[in-house]
Amino acid sequence: MTNMDMSQYLGAFLDEAGDNLKHLDDLILAVEKDQTDMDNIAEIFRSAHTLKGMSSTMGFDRMASLTHAMEDMLDSVRRGTYSLKAKDIDLLFRSLDTLQAMVDSIRNGNGDGSVETDDLVAAMRNAPKEVQAAGMQPEDAPSPGEEKEFSGQELQWISEASGLGLNVYEVRVSLSPDCLLKAARAYMVVSRLDEMGDIIKTVPPVEALENEEFDHEFIVYAATSRSLEQVRDAVARVSEVVGADVREVSRDSAVLPADREAVEPPKEKAPAAGAGKEVKEKTPPPGGSTPPAPAQPQRKSEAAKKANQTVRVDIGRLDKLMNLVGELVIGRARIERLVQEAHLREFDEPLSQLGRISGDIQELVTKLRMVPVSFIFERFPRLVRDLSKTLGKEIELVMEGQETELDRTVIDEIGDPMVHIIRNSIDHGVEIPAERKKAGKPEKGLIKISAYQEGSGVIIEVTDDGKGIDASKVRAKALANGTITEEESAAMSDEEVVNLIFLPGFSMAEKVTDVSGRGVGMDAVKTKVESLGGQFDVSTEVGAGTRVFVRLPLTLAIVLALLIKVGDETYALPLENVEETILVKKENVKTVHGTPATLLRGDVLTLCNLAEMLGTSRNGEEAGDEYPVVVVKTGKTRIGFIVDELIGQQDIVIKSLGRFLSKIRGIAGATILGDGNVALILDVAGLYGR
């Protein structure tokens, strides 16, 4: 197959490789905790084998070589000739990082040749050899020649095949020592012999051949009408077969195990061409020489059935589908407005039906774009493991609510901010074991990540049981670097002082390291969360720990919004940010520290004139004795926006303002209304910070 032919499979290869690397990461983390779990060892071996086969088929030889070395080392562990050590676990993780770098390089069109792998390959190949050189010899694996015994059933097949004039051959196949796809080559040999007649037996068994549980040699016993030379030529034509030794087997030369009692021959007829497989399936060999495994095919068929119920879809197609649904929502709103203005009552029923159908389509497409937060959570165990080892800390990670779903776009955007939050918890929050023991805490710290849905949003909380954020230390740091003055410091509460950590360039680290100290962490997190229309908050207690609260919208495509009028323009406020709407009498508006405010159920509510913030004029500012006010929340702060008119709720389609206008603070995007006019979508956090 040419390179041009293979390029069409590159996307599928990258997806499958990414899934396998994530799976391997989880498995190696599990093995690090329990190195005696041979099920996980075997699963790592199978995943590495799959990755090796895929990369070799695609022509990525360096990737295939590295996974082959991983496979060899794990095979030694699986066979009991080698035990993993702490340095081997680190070696496996380094290999995963290298493989991920290769996948990224391939995705960028640079292939896998630019990533260095020789040292890793050599280290993994040498690890078992060092143990053997120290006196620990591997267990002797059974050679093909030791398993030439035949069961009574197999002897009967050989006898009856000879009676039908068929030749029975022992085909000893040798593969090239450099062969990376042993299972595939063995399958090709067995398939080719099966086409020529019937397979009586393979040594080792077929399952072992499929799992590559053999060196580079195996034996096939087959009954066929073809000549010895034809059989040898057919096998020799298989790629990477370097030897095909064929000899004829008769009933007299076949060996019956000495310790096996005579078995009564079965009543079935000898296998004829094309019928041998059916006979062998219906009549299992006696004595249990090849144990029946009905459960395995059943599990495979169930897995295959389940796999066939899902399909990979390019995210670009889902984006296009969502855009079309957005146009449908806009069109529906426009038709509803026209019908309302024309007072056409006969359209009420069909419009209602159209609304239900389009609503169902909108809900379905939104769900299609949803992915569980485990998509980003699955990288955190490795992050915590590596960082805690680097910093000399012991940390237990607990994750809850990984099945909670978010829009794929939100998931893609929130991954890096979550990494910043966790790195801060590990570096600044959780203490080293000695300090924790001195404070009366368990030596192992705890970081808990929880996700759950609340209303039309998703809450993600990151909690640690570390030392918390000391407001006095933050205050001293801010004074030392000139962030605040003495007068400002005296007027600030502890909560306001803690919020200084969100300022650009502010860091509590004593020195700049690979982990922290550059002052871009929490500021970047807060900015990103608020740009997604979310809310960000931190609560802390000195000596007890810190809780980071992130609230995110379910989707960034179609949201429910409150339409308001300010001056001649209509604006949209996402309902995610709106707490309530009220009417405030002008006489109840007071000035507190130069800012208008009012009392709302006993609490002071700061008021902001939205017209002034947006640089426009209000209509009928002097008319009436009440202000329509929209109460919104950003973090722990509640604000009341004074507007001219409350229009109502409506589903809106969020449209980007483009590269040049997207940086305007306080504007999250735009939408098209039912009358065809454009309305700007307001960003509450951005407006309040202006």
Side-chain angles (χ1 to χ4, degrees), residues 393-396 425 429-447 464-468 543-545:
K393 299 180 179 182
E394 296 180 14
I395 298 175
E396 178 186 0
S425 292
V430 179
E431 311 95 329
I432 60 174
E435 290 181 7
R436 292 182 63 84
K437 188 175 182 180
K438 188 176 179 181
K441 297 180 180 180
E443 292 188 10
K444 180 176 285 189
L446 175 67
I447 292 179
D464 67 64
D465 66 346
K467 57 189 173 184

Side-chain angles (χ1 to χ4, degrees), residues 6-19:
M6 297 307 295
S7 64
Q8 62 183 310
Y9 304 111
L10 185 59
F13 165 76
L14 292 172
D15 289 340
E16 292 290 344
D19 290 344

Side-chain angles (χ1 to χ4, degrees), residues 478 481-483 499-508 517-527 665:
N481 59 25
T483 304
N499 287 336
L500 292 175
I501 64 174
F502 301 132
L503 293 177
F506 191 90
S507 175
M508 291 297 294
R518 292 176 174 82
V520 295
M522 300 308 283
D523 166 52
V525 172
K526 188 172 186 290
T527 302
R665 194 169 176 85

